[in-house]
């Protein structure tokens, strides 16, 4: 079985500042890792994913994430956030037939 | 346009009534999923289906039922046995299950009065 922990339930940040959303996972087998974004009252949209290869993954909207196997982490970063990045962000791990989600991190970008 | 549609977007029902949520996809995906989302929580898997006429229980299947008679459709019925059905329900699909991106519909917000 696998589990995902998003260490921060809310992250407030000022516009144009950098941000890191943390994600740690546990699994006894190799995993695939995902970050999704959810805007209010909408479904989830894929930001990026790690399947294999380079540990630094670039996604949409200027986001990137780094897979660290030794620390079992997959933190999401953006060097300069915009007001429009305000949303809920979910980290997820896929091993076997199930996609397991973290509890989510609410990113609040302030002007 | 290819994608996943869920209807209706908002649904109100009286306590004790069964209700069916629709999910349709035209992405030619084999696998489909239903998730439940409660405020401040992540998504929890209700049911999933890897192929037509086959489906498996997820983590919180009690009080729910599904069918998969067509590749494009995966309706979810919330029965009166579900003790706390008010939630946001999300449907997703993928080419297969392991490693593939799941694409999500816009969701249905169910409120039981």
């Amino acid at each position: 079985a696998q589990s995902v922990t998003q260490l921060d339930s809310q992250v407030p940040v000022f516009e144009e500042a950098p941000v890191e959303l943390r994600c740690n996972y546990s699994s006894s087998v190799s995993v695939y890792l995902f970050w999704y974004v959810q805007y209010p009252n909408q479904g989830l949209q894929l930001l990026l994913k790690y399947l294999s290869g380079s540990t630094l993954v670039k996604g949409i909207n200027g986001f990137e994430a780094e897979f660290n196997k030794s620390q079992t982490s997959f933190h999401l970063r953006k060097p300069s956030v915009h007001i429009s990045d305000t949303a809920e962000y979910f980290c997820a791990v896929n091993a076997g037939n199930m996609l397991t989600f973290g509890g989510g991190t609410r990113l609040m970008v302030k002007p | 346009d290819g994608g996943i549609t869920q209807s209706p977007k908002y649904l109100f029902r009286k306590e004790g009534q069964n209700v069916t949520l629709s999910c349709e996809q035209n992405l030619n995906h084999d696998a489909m999923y239903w998730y439940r989302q409660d405020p401040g929580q992540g998504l929890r898997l209700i049911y999933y289906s890897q192929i037509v006429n086959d489906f498996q229980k997820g983590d919180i299947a009690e009080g729910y039922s599904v069918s998969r008679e067509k590749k494009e459709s995966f309706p979810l019925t919330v029965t009166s046995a579900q003790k706390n059905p008010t939630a946001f329900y999300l449907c997703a699909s993928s080419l297969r299950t392991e490693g593939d991106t799941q694409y999500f519909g816009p969701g249905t917000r169910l409120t039981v009065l």
Side-chain angles (χ1 to χ4, degrees):
Chain A
Q2 57 266 13
S3 66
V4 181
T5 302
Q6 292 184 241
L7 296 161
D8 305 297
S9 60
Q10 295 186 56
V11 173
V13 63
F14 285 106
E15 193 174 18
E16 297 183 6
V19 70
E20 178 180 81
L21 306 183
R22 297 180 292 169
C23 172
N24 285 88
Y25 69 93
S26 66
S27 176
S28 56
V29 298
S30 296
V31 297
Y32 307 104
L33 295 155
F34 302 79
W35 274 100
Y36 284 88
V37 60
Q38 184 181 34
Y39 299 102
N41 293 311
Q42 294 186 28
L44 275 66
Q45 179 183 1
L46 180 71
L47 275 177
L48 49 80
K49 63 182 178 182
Y50 172 79
L51 302 181
S52 64
S54 173
T55 57
L56 183 63
V57 181
K58 293 191 183 297
I60 63 170
N61 301 341
F63 284 94
E64 64 181 31
E66 185 154 20
F67 171 59
N68 188 318
K69 189 174 182 179
S70 62
Q71 297 186 8
T72 59
S73 67
F74 191 54
H75 301 332
L76 181 71
R77 302 187 185 101
K78 187 170 182 177
S80 175
V81 295
H82 302 288
I83 294 287
S84 59
D85 292 323
T86 295
E88 188 94 21
Y89 291 80
F90 291 96
C91 181
V93 59
N94 178 253
N97 293 329
M98 307 282 272
L99 190 64
T100 302
F101 287 86
T105 297
R106 185 173 301 277
L107 177 62
M108 299 175 293
V109 181
K110 300 179 286 186
Chain B
D1 284 338
I4 303 176
T5 57
Q6 291 185 244
S7 60
K9 188 166 179 64
Y10 298 96
L11 190 55
F12 297 89
R13 279 294 181 268
K14 291 183 180 179
E15 196 171 338
Q17 289 182 333
N18 290 358
V19 61
T20 297
L21 282 58
S22 167
C23 177
E24 304 276 334
Q25 55 97 359
N26 61 4
L27 300 169
N28 201 31
H29 286 168
D30 289 314
M32 297 187 74
Y33 315 80
W34 274 106
Y35 293 92
R36 171 182 171 134
Q37 185 178 24
D38 293 285
Q41 296 188 33
L43 280 67
R44 292 182 290 169
L45 183 66
I46 305 172
Y47 268 98
Y48 66 101
S49 168
Q50 299 181 52
I51 197 168
V52 173
N53 292 324
D54 182 66
F55 47 83
Q56 308 294 328
K57 291 183 179 180
D59 300 321
I60 55 165
E62 186 176 348
Y64 299 96
S65 66
V66 294
S67 63
R68 187 86 187 276
E69 298 176 2
K70 298 187 299 181
K71 188 175 185 177
E72 302 79 20
S73 179
F74 191 40
L76 173 75
T77 297
V78 184
T79 75
S80 57
Q82 169 50 233
K83 290 182 172 32
N84 186 17
T86 294
F88 191 50
Y89 291 88
L90 287 159
C91 179
S93 71
S94 69
L95 275 172
R96 55 178 193 272
T97 51
E98 187 170 13
D100 281 320
T101 300
Q102 290 188 18
Y103 295 88
F104 284 80
T108 292
R109 186 167 298 281
L110 172 64
T111 302
V112 175
L113 305 171

